[in-house]
Amino acid sequence: MIDLDQRRAVGEPIHDAAPTGDIRTLWDDHLLDLKLVNPANRRRFKVIVVGTGLAGAGAAATLSELGYQVEAFTLHDAPRRAHSVAAQGGINAAKAYKADGDSVDRLFRDTVKGGDFRSREADVHRLSEMSVRVIDHMTALGVPFAREYGGQIATRSFGGVQVSRTFYARGQTGQQLQIAGSQQLLKEVGAGRLTLHTRMEMLDLIVADGRAAGIVTRDMVTGEIRPHTAHAVVLATGGYGNVYFKSTLAKSSNVTATWRAHKRGALFGNPCFVQFHPTSLPVSNEWQSKTTLMSESLRNDGRVWVPKVAGDDRPPNDIPEDERDYYLERMYPSFGNLAPRDISSRAAKAQLDAGKGVGPLRNGVYLDFADAIARLGRKTMEERYGNLLDLYVDATGEDPYTAPMRIAPGPHFVMGGLWTDYNQMSNIPGLFVGGEASFNYHGANRLGANSLLSASVDGWFVLPWTVANYLAPRLGTEVPPDDHPDVEAAVSETRERVDALLAVQGTRGPDEYHKELGQLLMDHVGVERHADGLAKGMDAIRELRDDFWMNVQVVGHGQQLNQELERAGRIADYLELSELMALDALDRDESAGAHFRSEHQTEDGEALRDDDNWTSGSAWAPPGEDGRPIRRSEPLTFEAVPLATRSYK
Amino acid sequence: MRLSLVIWRQADATAAGDFERYELTDIAPEVSILELLDMLNAQLVAENRDPVAFDHDCREGICGSCGLMVNGQAHGPVDSTPACLQRARSFEDGDIVTMEPFRADAFPVIRDLVVDRSSLDRIIASGGYVSTATNAAPEALTMSVNKIESDVAMDHAACIGCGACVAACPNAAAQLFTGAKVAHLAQLPQGQVERYERVRSMVETMEEDFGSCTNFGECVPACPADIQLDVIALLNRDYARSMFRVSGDEEVRHKDRRDIPWLSRLRSGPWWQSDPDDQPHATS
Ligand SMILES: Cc1cc2nc3c(=O)[nH]c(=O)nc-3n(C[C@H](O)[C@H](O)[C@H](O)COP(=O)(O)OP(=O)(O)OC[C@H]3O[C@@H](n4cnc5c(N)ncnc54)[C@H](O)[C@@H]3O)c2cc1C
Ligand code: SF4
Ligand code: FES
C-alpha cells in the first residue's frame, strides 16, 4: 500500500479565486470594480515582465504604452525567439464568421468540456469573450491572417470541433503572432519607454515584506548575478513540457522562473496535467534532439494503423490490408482518425505497449496516406501538406508518398503552471502570471489552438487591467533598495546555488541527467499512469536528484557564457518539479482529460472522472517543515456547463 | 559515417580565436548539423573539456536562433535551409567540415559560434511595426485584403530573423532582412499610414550598423525563409519615394507655426495628452 499521507499534507481549501455572478457579464462587471491608476501617476510604478512570448510581449508593450516603467527580460537573444514562434496550427476566436452556429458561449462550452471539467468557468468565459478582440488587435498589427478570395479572413476547423473558428497564417500562426507582439515590444524600446534585457535569465523571485518585489537574474554573457526590483512582477515564461527531454518544445524551455517562485511560496497548480501530441516524430536515433510536431492536420487525410500481430517486421507495404489494425477507426467509429489528442495518444501508447510499435526502434505507429493519394491524387496532397511531408522526408530519409509515415505521442503542452486567481495574480501579492506559465484556462486537457489564445488574452487584454488594479492603492510606495535584507538574501542564495552546481565537479554532464529524467517521466508520469508506477517514479526521481548533486559535471566557470551551467540549473529545477508532477498524479485519484490513471477507466477504456471527490484544482504549496508538499484544493463549480461525460464513440 | 569537424573556438568577445579539429564517428545520416555539435559536446564534456557554445532553440527552423558558417556557407551546404534542418547526409564519409560563427561587424562574436545579432532588432525598433494601441483596433473584417496580396505579405513576413543574409553578403548588408519587414507591412492596408516614415527610419538605422547592398544576391540562397530580392527592390523604391514625400517637411511646418497664445489650446490638444510630469498630481 502506498501511504499518501507520508508523501503529502493537505492544507486549507481555496474558495475565493473568482468573483461570482452572471458568467456572461462577469468580466465587464469586474472591470468596473478594478481600480485605476491616473495616467500622470503611472510612471511612478515599475513593473518587471519576465518572458517576451505572446503573453509577455503583450503585457510589456501594453503596460509601457500606458505609461508604466517596464523592464522586460528574456533568456533569448531577441524577443521574437520565444517559443510561441513555433506554433503552427492557429488561434481560436469566437468571431462566428461562418454561419455554422459558433458563438462566445460555444467556444466557452467547448473549452470547459475539452478541459474535462477541471478548469474555472469564469476564466474560460473571459477567454472566449476576449478572443474576439485578439483577432482584431492582431490584424491591426499586421498579422497576415489567411484570407478568402473575397478578402475576408479565413478560418478552419481544428482539433476535433465542429465549427470553423481557428484563424491561421499559413502553417506559421505562432510565428506571425509572436513577431507582431515582439515588434510592439521593440516599438516601445525604440521610443525609449521600455528597457529590454536579452540573454538574461531569471534565477529567483524576490519577495520582500510579503510581496513580489523583483527578480534575481544572471547575465548569460558575463555571468553577473544581480537583483532588479519593482512594484510588481509578471511571469510569462512559458511551459515546462521539455522536462521529458524529448518533446515538441524548444530546447531552452524551462520551469526555472515559475519553480523558483514556487519555492518562494507561490502555489503550483495541477503540475501533472500534461498534453501529449499524437502526431510527433518518433525518435529514430540516440542523437535526435526532439520529437518535432507534425501538424495535427495530417490526421484529416491520414489513416492510423499498426500490424495486427506484435513484432511484425515486414515493410508496411508488404502487410496486407486484413493484417492491419486501423485501431482508431475501430475503437472510435464516429471520430476515427480525428479522435481528440489525449485519446489518440493513449490509444497509440496501448499499441506500443502491446509490442505492435513500428519503425527501427518499434516506437511509432503508421499514419498512412495511400487512400488519400488514391482518392485525391498526389498533387492535392502536395498542395495540402507539401511542406510538412518534405520536412518528414528530410528528417527521416523516408518518403511518405510511397510508404506510410511513422508518428508517436510526444509531450507537447502543460496545462499545469503557477496557480492564479481571476486577476492572474498568484497567492504572492504582486506576482502575476500569464500564458502557458499559468494554469487556469485549460483544465485537464487543452483544446487545439486555445493556447495561443490564452497567451494573447492574458498579455494584451487581462494583465494590463489587473496589474493596474494591484498598483493603484500602492501609489507612493517605494521599491525595496538593493540592500534590503530580503533582496540581499535572494541574491546570495542564487549565487550559492550557481556556485554549488559548479562545485560538484562530478563526471556526468547535465544533459545525461535530463535524458534519464525524461525516460523516467515517460515511463511513470506519461500518457498513462498508475499508483505503483507513480510511487516508484517518485522514488527514482529522488534518487536521480541525489545522484545529480553528487555527480553532475559542469565544465567551465560562472563568469562567462556557459551553456552547460545554464542547462544544469534548469535540470536541477526539473528534478524537483518532476517529483511534484508524480506526486500530483498520484494524489489525483481519478482520470481526467490528459491525466489517465489506468485504475480509473470505464469498461471501454475511457477516462473515468471522480466528480464527487475531484471536481477541484490542486494548488501545491512548497513543503512544510516536515518535508511534505502541501496540497490545497480549489473546489470548482459548473453551472453554465453542467458536468457531463465526454464521448467520442 | 565519420567526419572531422574544424571549429572556431573563441573564449569570449575579446579573446583571439582559433580553429580546432575534432573527430566524430558513428554518425547517422539524418543527424542535423546542430546534433553533430551535440555529439561533439557530449564527447568534450566527458573529457572535461569546454563544449562548443552555439545558439539554437526550436530545432525546427522557425525561431531563427541557430546560425553558423559551414564550409563557408551560411547555415550549411543546402540552400534555403537553417542549420538545425541541415543533415549529415550532405557530407561524404570522412569529409572535413569547417564551422565558424557568422562574420559581420554588426554581429560581434560572444563566444565560439555565438554572435550578438541585436543590431537586427535595432532596425525593427526604429520602425518595423504598426503603431496601434492595445484595445484600439477596429473589427478585423472592416479591412478587406485581397487574398493574393495577403499571401505575398505572408511570403515576406516569413523571415525568421536569423541573420544569414548578412553573413552571406560580401558587404555584410542587411537589405534582405530590412526589405522583408518593409515589404510585409507595405503590402497590407494596415501598414500604409506609417509606410514612408517607417522605411526612412529603418534604412537610416540599418546604415549605422551594416554595409551597403551592391546586389551580389548571395543573401537569397542563404535565406531559410526564401525571401527574394524583390523585397530589396521595394525597399529601395519606397526609400526613394520617402525622400520626395513631404511628410518630413510637414512636421517642420507643423512645428514652425507662429505661437499665438489663444490658438495654442487648439494646437496642443487637451492637457492630459501632453507630458504627465507637467500636470498636477492627482490621486488615482
Ligand atoms: C510545436 C508547438 C506547436 C504549437 N501549436 C499551437 C497551435 O497551433 N495553437 C495554439 O494555440 N497553441 C499551440 N502551441 C502552444 C503555444 O504555442 C504555447 O502554449 C504558447 O505560445 C505559450 O506562449 P507564452 O507566451 O506563454 O510562452 P513562450 O512563448 O514560451 O515564451 C516564454 C518566454 O519566457 C522566456 N523565459 C523563460 N524562462 C525564462 C527565465 N528563467 N528567465 C528569463 N526569461 C525566460 C523565454 O525567453 C520566452 O521569451 C504549440 C506549442 C508547440 C510546442
Ligand atoms: S531575410 Fe532570410 S536570411 Fe535574412 S534574417 Fe530573414 S530569414 Fe534570415
Ligand atoms: S534552432 Fe530554431 S531555427 Fe534553427
Side-chain angles (χ1 to χ4, degrees):
Chain A
M1 260 314 277
I2 298 156
D3 185 2
L4 253 176
D5 289 325
Q6 274 184 356
R7 297 174 187 259
R8 61 108 175 83
V10 177
E12 287 295 303
I14 304 167
H15 280 294
D16 48 359
T20 49
D22 179 358
I23 202 146
R24 288 201 178 78
T25 57
L26 203 57
W27 177 240
D28 278 345
D29 297 344
H30 186 65
L31 286 180
L32 272 182
D33 292 338
L34 292 179
K35 296 180 217 54
L36 308 176
V37 179
N38 184 305
N41 288 330
R42 291 184 191 147
R43 65 166 60 175
R44 297 168 67 188
F45 289 112
K46 190 168 143 196
V47 181
I48 282 176
V49 179
V50 190
T52 62
L54 267 179
T62 308
L63 287 165
S64 165
E65 229 169 63
L66 288 168
Y68 299 94
Q69 289 178 57
V70 179
E71 290 205 32
F73 294 80
T74 166
L75 54 77
H76 287 98
D77 67 323
R80 63 182 295 147
R81 308 214 201 279
H83 195 52
S84 292
V85 83
Q88 305 167 351
I91 176 167
N92 285 337
K95 280 287 196 186
Y97 282 164
K98 297 223 163 85
D100 59 2
D102 199 17
S103 65
V104 166
D105 283 345
R106 189 178 294 275
L107 173 55
F108 161 64
R109 194 174 73 187
D110 287 352
T111 305
V112 170
K113 282 186 167 178
D116 219 5
F117 299 92
R118 294 295 175 261
S119 54
R120 213 182 273 148
E121 271 193 340
D123 303 43
V124 178
H125 203 276
R126 173 180 71 199
L127 183 78
S128 312
E129 284 168 58
M130 300 320 285
S131 68
V132 172
R133 304 294 292 133
V134 168
I135 299 303
D136 296 341
H137 184 56
M138 287 304 183
T139 305
L141 295 185
V143 170
F145 283 119
R147 298 274 169 166
E148 308 283 4
Y149 279 100
Q152 310 90 317
I153 303 184
T155 51
R156 62 180 168 210
S157 94
F158 189 75
V161 296
Q162 282 142 331
V163 291
S164 178
R165 64 158 80 101
T166 305
F167 292 74
Y168 61 101
R170 237 166 248 172
Q172 286 132 278
T173 316
Q175 182 205 27
Q176 291 309 310
L177 299 175
Q178 173 59 28
I179 288 178
S182 51
Q183 282 169 192
Q184 293 304 300
L185 188 75
L186 289 171
K187 164 172 79 73
E188 294 302 301
V189 174
R193 289 190 287 257
L194 183 147
T195 313
L196 172 68
H197 303 269
T198 55
R199 293 196 198 268
M200 192 79 93
E201 183 166 15
M202 166 180 166
L203 293 184
D204 210 342
L205 177 76
I206 297 171
V207 181
D209 309 320
R211 290 175 185 274
I215 61 173
V216 181
T217 58
R218 178 173 180 275
D219 181 323
M220 293 158 73
V221 176
T222 64
E224 186 198 16
I225 292 172
R226 57 159 289 200
H228 304 262
T229 49
H231 291 93
V233 176
V234 177
L235 297 186
T237 47
Y240 52 83
N242 79 347
V243 64
Y244 291 84
F245 188 70
K246 289 197 170 80
S247 76
T248 64
L249 276 84
K251 301 306 277 181
S252 75
S253 298
N254 70 92
V255 78
T256 291
T258 49
W259 189 252
R260 289 290 133 201
H262 170 64
K263 302 274 279 193
R264 295 267 170 216
L267 299 172
F268 209 106
N270 299 334
C272 81
F273 287 165
V274 181
Q275 183 174 74
F276 289 77
H277 205 292
T279 50
S280 51
L281 270 185
V283 176
S284 25
N285 71 68
E286 183 197 351
W287 292 101
Q288 185 176 321
S289 47
K290 69 182 289 193
T291 51
T292 304
L293 172 71
M294 303 302 294
S295 166
E296 189 145 40
S297 60
L298 291 167
R299 289 202 282 147
N300 288 329
D301 285 311
R303 297 181 68 196
V304 177
W305 65 274
V306 291
K308 275 191 179 151
V309 182
D312 188 338
D313 276 341
R314 287 175 291 176
N317 291 337
D318 292 353
I319 302 181
E321 207 47 41
D322 61 349
E323 290 177 42
R324 300 175 176 192
D325 180 10
Y326 294 90
Y327 59 89
L328 284 178
E329 296 171 19
R330 173 171 58 79
M331 293 159 64
Y332 308 97
S334 67
F335 275 80
N337 297 297
L338 291 176
R341 288 180 184 173
D342 54 327
I343 292 182
S344 313
S345 293
R346 215 161 52 234
K349 169 82 166 48
Q351 300 300 328
L352 300 185
D353 288 349
K356 296 183 187 172
V358 299
L361 302 177
R362 295 227 174 126
N363 56 359
V365 298
Y366 288 127
L367 181 63
D368 199 335
F369 298 107
D371 285 1
I373 292 173
R375 190 174 70 242
L376 304 164
R378 179 172 170 139
K379 187 151 174 298
T380 308
M381 289 298 286
E382 277 174 7
E383 273 168 24
R384 280 194 193 165
Y385 307 112
N387 292 348
L388 280 167
L389 297 181
D390 289 351
L391 206 127
Y392 182 81
V393 176
D394 185 60
T396 60
E398 296 164 22
D399 177 12
Y401 292 104
T402 55
M405 211 167 134
R406 286 176 295 119
I407 54 168
H412 179 54
F413 179 86
V414 291
M415 283 70 75
L418 287 187
W419 181 92
T420 62
D421 63 12
Y422 189 60
N423 286 338
Q424 295 299 127
M425 187 166 88
S426 77
N427 57 312
I428 300 179
L431 178 67
F432 290 80
V433 195
E436 196 173 336
S438 67
F439 94 120
N440 46 326
Y441 297 110
H442 307 295
N445 188 35
R446 172 193 63 123
L447 219 56
N450 253 2
S451 46
L452 289 176
L453 176 63
S454 56
S456 305
V457 166
D458 283 349
W460 301 102
F461 294 104
V462 177
L463 289 164
W465 280 257
T466 57
V467 170
N469 171 65
Y470 169 77
L471 293 174
R474 305 199 45 75
L475 189 66
T477 58
E478 297 297 323
V479 302
D482 284 1
D483 62 1
H484 185 289
D486 291 331
V487 179
E488 282 188 334
V491 173
S492 61
E493 283 163 32
T494 306
R495 291 214 175 97
E496 280 159 23
R497 206 166 43 249
V498 170
D499 291 344
L501 286 167
L502 288 160
V504 180
Q505 298 276 338
T507 51
R508 296 178 69 198
D511 258 359
E512 277 192 45
Y513 284 96
H514 196 176
K515 284 180 190 168
E516 199 173 323
L517 175 66
Q519 195 56 51
L520 274 178
L521 286 173
M522 280 306 263
D523 291 345
H524 301 296
V525 200
V527 174
E528 198 173 315
R529 299 111 188 240
H530 61 85
D532 290 339
L534 288 164
K536 223 184 275 164
M538 277 184 78
D539 299 339
I541 291 165
R542 207 171 301 161
E543 265 171 45
L544 187 65
R545 188 169 64 232
D546 292 344
D547 188 84
F548 176 90
W549 284 104
M550 305 218 318
N551 292 316
V552 73
Q553 172 199 27
V554 182
V555 182
H557 58 81
Q559 277 71 50
Q560 58 175 173
L561 175 71
N562 187 338
Q563 294 173 324
E564 288 288 289
L565 179 60
E566 293 161 19
R567 271 194 283 272
R570 293 172 199 157
I571 290 154
D573 289 335
Y574 272 159
L575 284 163
E576 296 180 9
L577 161 82
S578 49
E579 191 181 336
L580 188 66
M581 289 167 69
L583 176 59
D584 184 40
L586 181 63
D587 181 51
R588 184 171 281 276
D589 196 16
E590 66 159 353
S591 296
H595 168 63
F596 188 81
R597 284 276 299 264
S598 54
E599 309 93 307
H600 303 292
Q601 48 182 313
T602 63
E603 275 172 24
D604 306 325
E606 296 297 337
L608 188 62
R609 289 196 321 253
D610 176 358
D611 289 338
D612 292 339
N613 295 304
W614 286 101
T615 308
S616 59
S618 296
W620 292 88
E625 273 173 16
D626 59 9
R628 293 178 305 162
I630 304 159
R631 190 249 297 151
R632 301 179 58 189
S633 289
E634 181 190 333
L636 299 168
T637 47
F638 293 90
E639 285 162 8
V641 190
L643 281 163
T645 307
R646 285 198 311 174
S647 172
Y648 290 97
K649 285 276 167 185
Chain B
M1 155 151 92
R2 52 178 301 138
L3 293 171
S4 304
L5 305 186
V6 176
I7 299 180
W8 182 259
R9 302 304 309 262
Q10 179 174 337
D12 58 47
T14 53
D18 205 354
F19 285 103
E20 268 188 55
R21 181 172 167 146
Y22 308 92
E23 307 300 327
L24 270 191
T25 54
D26 286 334
I27 302 167
E30 64 271 11
V31 157
S32 76
I33 285 185
L34 301 190
E35 286 161 0
L36 287 176
L37 288 169
D38 291 341
M39 290 174 74
L40 172 64
N41 282 348
Q43 205 168 294
L44 291 174
V45 168
E47 296 162 11
N48 203 13
R49 293 159 70 191
D50 266 328
V52 180
F54 64 102
D55 266 330
H56 64 97
D57 201 23
C58 72
R59 304 252 179 152
E60 54 180 277
I62 195 72
C63 72
S65 296
C66 63
L68 66 160
M69 302 301 281
V70 181
N71 292 340
Q73 283 175 289
H75 284 307
V78 183
D79 278 357
S80 309
T81 307
C84 53
L85 297 180
Q86 302 247 1
R87 310 280 167 185
R89 73 170 82 85
S90 302
F91 308 111
E92 303 284 331
D93 190 28
D95 272 0
I96 297 176
V97 180
T98 311
M99 299 187 183
E100 286 174 85
F102 279 171
R103 303 277 188 201
D105 286 345
F107 293 168
V109 174
I110 293 176
R111 187 173 185 190
D112 296 339
L113 305 176
V114 177
V115 298
D116 179 354
R117 286 168 288 188
S118 45
S119 45
L120 294 177
D121 274 349
R122 275 197 291 282
I123 300 178
I124 299 293
S126 71
Y129 46 76
V130 177
S131 307
T132 301
T134 302
N135 219 25
E139 155 60 45
L141 276 193
T142 49
M143 235 174 322
S144 282
V145 183
N146 175 283
K147 179 179 186 326
I148 311 284
E149 294 193 11
S150 162
D151 285 349
V152 172
M154 181 62 227
D155 289 340
H156 303 323
C159 164
I160 62 172
C162 61
C165 46
V166 176
C169 175
N171 303 322
Q175 253 77 1
L176 198 69
F177 170 81
T178 312
K181 184 48 57 196
V182 164
H184 157 210
L185 296 175
Q187 190 75 34
L188 292 169
Q190 301 91 301
Q192 298 312 313
V193 174
E194 296 166 292
R195 178 167 180 172
Y196 296 101
E197 286 84 351
R198 173 184 308 119
V199 67
R200 190 187 286 188
S201 169
M202 287 176 75
V203 166
E204 282 163 10
T205 307
M206 175 183 79
E207 285 173 346
E208 288 167 15
D209 287 325
F210 293 88
S212 311
C213 172
T214 51
N215 290 319
F216 276 103
E218 297 282 340
C219 47
V220 173
C223 173
D226 201 28
I227 306 294
Q228 295 293 319
L229 283 180
D230 58 344
V231 303
I232 301 185
L234 183 133
L235 179 75
N236 292 337
R237 197 185 63 213
D238 269 21
Y239 183 60
R241 280 188 189 164
S242 78
M243 291 302 175
F244 294 111
R245 284 184 65 96
V246 287
S247 63
D249 301 341
E250 272 164 0
E251 208 174 309
V252 173
R253 290 210 315 265
H254 173 71
K255 281 200 184 120
D256 282 355
R257 284 265 143 113
R258 278 180 307 150
D259 189 15
I260 301 169
W262 75 269
L263 269 177
S264 66
R265 270 191 313 167
L266 300 181
R267 290 193 186 138
S268 60
W271 65 262
W272 59 85
Q273 281 180 1
S274 48
D275 190 344
D277 266 4
D278 298 342
Q279 306 311 324
H281 285 302
T283 52
S284 56

